[in-house]
Amino acid sequence: MVNFEMLLGGSHVGFKKRERSPLSDQEREAKLENERKLQEGIRVLRQLRTWALEEQDSIARQNILKEAHQFSIQMAEVILNQALGDKPSPINSSFLETLQQARSEHADQDAGSGHGIPPQFSIQNLFRATDDMLVRVEEKAQSIVTPTHKITQEEINYVLQEFLRGTNDLSINAVEKFFEKDTKIGGILSGGSVYVELVKKIVARYGDPSLTLNSFVIAVDKENEKAVVETSESDVATKTVIVTDDMIDKGGTLLTALWLTGEKFPNATIYSGKGTDQPGGFKKRRNEKHTGHLAGLFQDFADLSEEGRNDEALALFGRAEEYAKENKVALQPGWHKRKERIEKQMKK
């Protein structure tokens, strides 16, 4: 039987386990209490994700996504601090205050869930992923407390192996571009955005100073094929985007993010473990969808004009023209030629 937690981590995950001394009953309860608080954090991130997907105002939506990003950073900090210790320790009070405030502010917001996996599994998975990275740091630098050296890019690729290849199944090309200046790493809310921030913290703490990551968050609704992306002024200049998550499962969420992220990164190649989207791919697919819809309307338009139902034909032309304008595509010349012919007939 496949272990459920291994399934959540990805189809090829082989997390290494960090050995610790046994916990007392009191310490075990403290550990469980910390995990319960972090599970509440996952619920908050799911609420923010759902809110961002529902929000129609672009500025308000970006504010929600930025809040989710900052909260993901705080979640990652707590998880890493707990993972670094052999025994559970009290969670930073500033995080607990932020968590309480977020729970209060978003109490009425539906958390939803793209996959329905309980928050405890996400937290357990993130702790296992963090332990794996720390064990690999120890292998390369002898210690996570007093490392012998700053880890090189080749070594850091080994440290991040289960993030890059095990969980996210990224191609060699994507891995090679991971630390490039014009690359951005997208983390899918909720667990995926926390995993990316954990990776960033591991790299910043143990890696060579030249290794930096630029991250953003993505809210995804795979059922309705919708995704909204945290944006910045540099998005147009971005050449590479790598979309990641903390668990793949069947890949529907990742695929939705892959095909829709290009809207905000028109000049970037989008990589994920489920495929690659070339620059302009989103615009091409969008235009094909809209031109296909207009082609169907044109047939109705032509039929109405041939039947002499000119008023209905012109009304349909108006709807088609508005649709084309709203979706930023051009009406084919045939629309205008037939409209001119109808108008001439009506003047006779």
Side-chain angles (χ1 to χ4, degrees), residues 7-10 115 117 121-122 125 167 195 245-249:
L7 177 62
L8 296 184
H115 37 58
I117 293 173
F121 288 109
S122 292
N125 192 61
T167 297
Y195 200 175
D245 207 349
D246 64 328
M247 51 190 73
I248 298 298
D249 199 11

Side-chain angles (χ1 to χ4, degrees), residues 2 15 52 66 94 110 127 176 180 207 223 248 293 298 336:
V2 177
F15 287 135
K66 291 183 192 311
S94 65
D110 177 26
F127 269 112
E176 287 178 346
E180 290 187 359
E223 302 301 329
I248 298 298
H293 176 70
F298 181 79
H336 298 285

Side-chain angles (χ1 to χ4, degrees), residues 57-343:
D57 181 80
S58 60
I59 295 175
R61 185 189 310 123
Q62 285 303 310
N63 288 336
I64 297 165
L65 292 170
K66 291 183 192 311
E67 179 183 347
H69 192 168
Q70 288 303 310
F71 196 75
S72 296
I73 293 172
Q74 290 180 283
M75 288 273 292
E77 184 71 18
V78 173
I79 291 170
L80 179 57
N81 285 340
Q82 292 296 318
L84 284 166
D86 289 329
K87 304 285 186 179
S89 58
I91 292 177
N92 186 293
S93 60
S94 65
F95 172 77
L96 295 179
E97 290 171 6
T98 302
L99 175 62
Q100 183 58 42
Q101 181 178 353
R103 289 175 61 187
S104 176
E105 290 178 354
H106 309 304
D108 296 331
Q109 175 64 55
D110 177 26
S113 180
H115 37 58
I117 293 173
Q120 61 262 38
F121 288 109
S122 292
I123 293 301
Q124 290 169 11
N125 192 61
L126 289 167
F127 269 112
R128 292 173 63 242
T130 306
D131 269 5
D132 174 79
M133 291 187 284
L134 292 175
V135 170
R136 293 171 187 272
V137 168
E138 287 180 320
E139 291 177 10
K140 295 299 180 181
Q142 311 311 313
S143 171
I144 58 175
V145 179
T146 56
T148 56
H149 65 282
K150 288 292 185 180
I151 295 177
T152 66
Q153 182 169 347
E154 182 179 352
E155 291 172 327
I156 210 72
N157 284 347
Y158 172 76
V159 171
L160 305 183
Q161 177 176 309
E162 297 309 319
F163 172 80
L164 297 169
R165 303 304 297 270
T167 297
N168 285 291
D169 199 21
L170 296 174
S171 67
I172 293 174
N173 287 340
V175 172
E176 287 178 346
K177 295 177 182 296
F178 197 74
F179 292 105
E180 290 187 359
K181 182 181 178 181
D182 294 327
T183 294
K184 291 190 176 181
I185 314 298
I188 296 176
L189 289 166
S190 53
S193 59
V194 178
Y195 200 175
V196 169
E197 299 308 321
L198 282 164
V199 166
K200 285 182 67 174
K201 289 182 181 299
I202 292 289
V203 172
R205 190 182 187 99
Y206 299 107
D208 186 279
S210 65
L211 302 175
T212 59
L213 295 174
N214 191 346
S215 61
F216 65 97
V217 301
I218 311 170
V220 180
D221 177 357
K222 67 178 180 181
E223 302 301 329
N224 294 304
E225 297 185 346
K226 183 177 181 181
V228 292
V229 175
E230 181 187 12
T231 60
S232 69
E233 293 180 358
S234 62
D235 291 347
V236 174
T238 298
K239 299 300 181 185
T240 303
V241 171
I242 301 174
V243 180
T244 64
D245 207 349
D246 64 328
M247 51 190 73
I248 298 298
D249 199 11
K250 296 179 181 178
T253 301
L254 203 64
L255 277 171
T256 302
L258 171 67
W259 298 130
L260 297 179
T261 298
E263 179 181 12
K264 302 301 181 183
F265 298 94
N267 299 309
T269 301
I270 318 291
Y271 291 94
S272 83
K274 291 297 180 179
T276 303
D277 195 21
Q278 298 301 322
F282 173 84
K283 183 177 180 180
K284 180 181 178 182
R285 287 190 300 278
R286 182 194 64 189
N287 289 350
E288 287 175 348
K289 173 184 175 181
H290 295 316
T291 55
H293 176 70
L294 287 169
L297 291 182
F298 181 79
Q299 187 58 56
D300 294 337
F301 174 61
D303 289 345
L304 288 170
S305 66
E306 292 297 328
E307 295 169 8
R309 298 159 65 182
N310 293 333
D311 289 336
E312 293 176 67
L314 290 177
L316 180 55
F317 178 91
R319 293 198 298 275
E321 190 174 44
E322 185 64 26
Y323 179 89
K325 183 179 179 181
E326 287 178 359
N327 293 287
K328 300 178 182 178
V329 294
L331 287 179
Q332 293 297 310
W335 282 92
H336 298 285
K337 290 179 180 178
R338 188 169 285 271
K339 177 174 179 282
E340 290 175 4
R341 189 189 313 163
I342 293 172
E343 290 174 337

Side-chain angles (χ1 to χ4, degrees), residues 5-20:
E5 291 183 16
M6 291 296 290
L7 177 62
L8 296 184
S11 56
H12 305 101
V13 169
F15 287 135
K16 292 176 178 284
K17 186 176 181 180
R18 188 160 175 258
E19 297 301 327
R20 293 180 175 84

